[in-house]
């Protein structure tokens, strides 16, 4: 398999594994999608922000590591250790459960996917309030920023000159996720609200992360 394709798929898989988890950012995207309020601006902020952070990681950290070959081994193992830790957390969530997301309840609105079913719908938030909220959960979350820049940048460095294909895969993954998650939330709501669905999702994420970590270490 061409190294460019390997890098592209690696970026796609790793980014999806990191981003498809229950967190503040995904909670906002899901809730806005369920409300059908300001979905476009929320998705746009998430996509652009993630692309910027990934580019910083690959253009900065990955470039430095590539310029100093002795750092590649350290980056490879550091990335693998973090990914395995992420897999363990996901596996624990899959085993323990408790990962369902609920919409806040103020008023009821019909569910487009299931006529006759009522979904909880909070009071309408202003566009400015929504924008500030999604910016805050995206840019004021050190853990998420470290994941996006340091981890992705370090793993991208292991692909050498093909790291830009890794970046393309990562940006494609985040764009695909946020667009589908934001605009498809109304249809995914019945599934995403169940604890079992999130346990299955977390189990799948854990498996993907382990595979990526092993591949990363074996080179």
């Amino acid at each position: 398999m061409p190294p460019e394709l390997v890098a592209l798929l690696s970026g796609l898989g790793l980014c999806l594994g990191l981003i498809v988890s229950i967190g503040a950012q995904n909670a906002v995207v899901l809730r806005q999608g369920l409300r059908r309020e300001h979905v476009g601006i929320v998705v746009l902020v998430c996509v652009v922000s993630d692309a910027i952070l990934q580019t910083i990681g690959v253009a900065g950290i990955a470039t430095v590591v590539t310029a100093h070959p002795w750092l590649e081994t350290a980056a490879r193992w550091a990335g693998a250790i973090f990914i395995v830790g992420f897999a363990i957390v996901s596996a624990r969530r899959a085993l323990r459960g408790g990962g369902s997301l609920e919409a806040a309840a103020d008023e009821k609105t019909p569910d487009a996917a299931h006529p006759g079913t009522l979904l909880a719908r909070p009071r309408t938030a202003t566009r400015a309030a929504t924008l500030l909220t999604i910016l805050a959960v995206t840019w004021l979350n050190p853990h998420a920023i470290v994941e996006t820049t340091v981890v992705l940048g370090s793993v991208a460095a292991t692909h050498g000159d093909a790291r830009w294909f890794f970046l393309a895969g990562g940006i494609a993954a985040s764009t695909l996720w946020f667009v589908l998650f934001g605009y498809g939330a109304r249809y995914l709501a019945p599934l995403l609200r169940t604890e079992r669905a999130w346990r299955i999702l977390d189990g799948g994420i854990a498996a993907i992360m382990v595979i990526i970590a092993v591949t990363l270490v074996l080179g």
Side-chain angles (χ1 to χ4, degrees):
M1 187 180 294
E4 293 81 6
L5 181 57
V6 172
L8 182 72
L9 294 177
S10 178
L12 187 73
L14 179 57
C15 185
L16 278 177
L18 291 174
I19 206 170
V20 183
S21 60
I22 300 173
Q25 188 182 53
N26 276 338
V28 172
V29 176
L30 176 61
R31 291 190 177 102
Q32 292 305 127
L34 290 174
R35 300 174 190 176
R36 305 177 198 179
E37 294 174 7
H38 316 307
V39 178
I41 193 170
V42 168
V43 170
L44 181 62
V45 168
C46 290
V47 169
V48 172
S49 297
D50 216 60
I52 291 173
L53 291 172
Q54 288 190 51
T55 301
I56 290 173
V58 174
I61 295 172
T63 300
V64 170
V65 172
T66 302
H68 300 82
W70 64 272
L71 288 174
E72 181 178 343
T73 301
R76 190 183 296 275
W77 280 97
I81 291 171
F82 177 87
I83 293 171
V84 168
F86 192 94
I88 292 173
V89 172
S90 295
R92 289 179 63 186
R93 281 202 304 262
L95 292 173
R96 296 182 178 182
S100 60
L101 283 174
E102 299 291 342
D106 272 330
E107 62 176 290
K108 302 292 183 178
T109 186
D111 182 356
H114 295 78
T117 301
L118 295 180
L119 290 176
R121 181 174 183 176
R123 296 188 179 114
T124 302
T126 65
R127 182 181 296 273
T130 302
L131 177 60
L132 289 175
T133 298
I134 193 62
L135 283 173
V137 299
T138 300
W139 289 95
L140 299 180
N141 186 342
H143 181 70
I145 292 176
V146 168
E147 281 184 5
T148 309
T149 57
V150 178
V151 177
L152 287 177
S154 298
V155 176
T158 66
H159 292 279
D161 292 336
R163 63 187 180 279
W164 302 111
F165 287 88
F166 180 95
L167 174 63
I171 292 177
S174 64
T175 300
L176 181 66
W177 169 254
F178 286 122
V179 170
L180 292 180
F181 196 47
Y183 287 100
R186 70 190 71 173
Y187 305 107
L188 296 173
L191 292 175
L192 294 175
R193 281 180 169 172
T194 66
E195 181 176 311
R196 181 182 179 186
W198 282 104
R199 292 178 72 173
I200 293 174
L201 181 61
D202 281 324
I205 291 173
I208 292 173
M209 292 292 98
V210 169
I211 293 173
I212 292 175
V214 171
T215 303
L216 187 61
V217 170
L218 295 180

